[in-house]
Amino acid sequence: MPADNRYSDADIAAVYRVIYERRDMRHFLPDPIAPEQLRRLLAAAHHAPSVGFMQPWRFVRVRCPTLRAQLHQLVEQERLLTAKALREREDSFMKLKVEGILDCAEVLVAALCGQRDQHVFGRRTLPEMDLASVSCAIQNIWLAARAEGLGMGWVSLFAPEALKGLLDMPEDSHPVAVLCLGHVATFYEQPLLQQAGWAERQNLDELIFENYWNTPPCR
């Protein structure tokens, strides 16, 4: 008989609870995060699965208040451009809170590092595999933060080249996310965009095919 690798029922329930109760947070309290707690979250990212055990990502911890204000301005510029691109939904978009850079305890910029060509596994035919690796690292932080009662928000509204210049990043690096971490008064009962009536989560059955594209699973 194979070894029993299954977690206990309580542990399994805790894992799924974290997954389902995690939220993309935008409202934060000013309280600082303890250094040892932040270290645990970064260690969780460091232990994320990545293709070929490569870790083609870096995190920049933005602590300087002036730099954080400049980062906020970059996001605000892109928010206005995004609103205009949405046309008929511009007004409703402008009412959404899309970041918490000035309010959260910690700001981390997640980026693909320079000289990623040395990370060969999977990249010869699928160069986006390094993006999959950094996404795994981000998700680990997100889940660990929720388990510890901290909120995290993923901000994607910024011009990558402008952000690279602001943080003095290498030419062949690429920022992919601004992460806001911090204490929150409460977690949203539903994802914020759903709560605001902006969008609904797609039906799972519509996203799963069997054998061939657009062929639903047999019942």
Side-chain angles (χ1 to χ4, degrees):
M1 295 291 292
D4 185 6
N5 295 318
R6 185 180 183 276
Y7 286 7
S8 69
D9 289 346
D11 286 345
I12 292 172
V15 169
Y16 280 103
R17 180 183 176 188
V18 170
I19 291 171
Y20 289 125
E21 293 185 1
R22 181 196 62 174
R23 295 289 183 264
D24 190 359
M25 299 302 296
R26 305 296 169 182
H27 301 83
F28 296 92
L29 301 175
D31 311 68
I33 296 175
E36 62 273 15
Q37 194 174 33
L38 179 61
R39 183 71 179 179
R40 287 196 298 271
L41 300 184
L42 293 172
H46 191 52
H47 284 77
S50 55
V51 177
F53 208 55
M54 302 297 181
Q55 293 171 308
W57 46 261
R58 301 291 185 269
F59 289 105
V60 180
R61 186 183 178 194
V62 181
R63 304 186 71 185
C64 171
T66 300
L67 194 58
R68 191 188 281 211
Q70 292 172 321
L71 176 54
H72 167 74
Q73 188 57 39
L74 280 182
V75 171
E76 180 63 15
Q77 290 171 3
E78 183 56 34
R79 185 176 79 99
L80 296 175
L81 293 172
T82 299
K84 291 186 180 301
L86 289 169
R87 296 182 180 178
E88 66 273 7
R89 301 194 79 180
E90 178 178 353
D91 290 342
S92 57
F93 176 78
M94 289 300 291
K95 295 176 183 176
L96 296 174
K97 183 171 175 59
V98 296
E99 53 92 356
I101 292 171
L102 298 180
D103 308 321
C104 66
E106 297 283 345
V107 172
L108 301 173
V109 175
L112 294 171
C113 64
Q115 300 180 331
R116 294 193 307 284
D117 289 342
Q118 63 182 307
H119 301 301
V120 176
F121 282 20
R123 294 192 77 251
R124 190 181 69 81
T125 55
L126 288 172
E128 56 269 28
M129 289 312 297
D130 52 10
L131 183 59
S133 293
V134 72
S135 295
C136 288
I138 291 171
Q139 295 304 319
N140 268 24
I141 289 182
W142 218 339
L143 294 171
R146 180 62 187 91
E148 296 221 17
L150 296 174
M152 193 185 99
W154 180 329
V155 180
S156 58
L157 297 175
F158 57 84
E161 292 303 314
L163 184 52
K164 282 172 60 173
L166 184 64
L167 301 181
D168 197 24
M169 292 171 57
E171 180 61 32
D172 56 346
S173 63
H174 189 74
V176 298
V178 176
L179 308 178
C180 299
L181 273 169
H183 296 276
V184 298
T186 185
F187 287 89
Y188 311 135
E189 291 187 10
Q190 299 176 314
L192 185 59
L193 293 183
Q194 181 176 337
Q195 197 168 283
W198 179 267
E200 295 285 338
R201 192 183 302 277
Q202 288 182 259
N203 189 311
L204 177 62
D205 292 335
E206 296 174 356
L207 307 177
I208 301 174
F209 305 145
E210 188 166 304
N211 294 324
Y212 302 103
W213 188 265
N214 215 24
T215 302
C218 296
R219 296 294 182 185

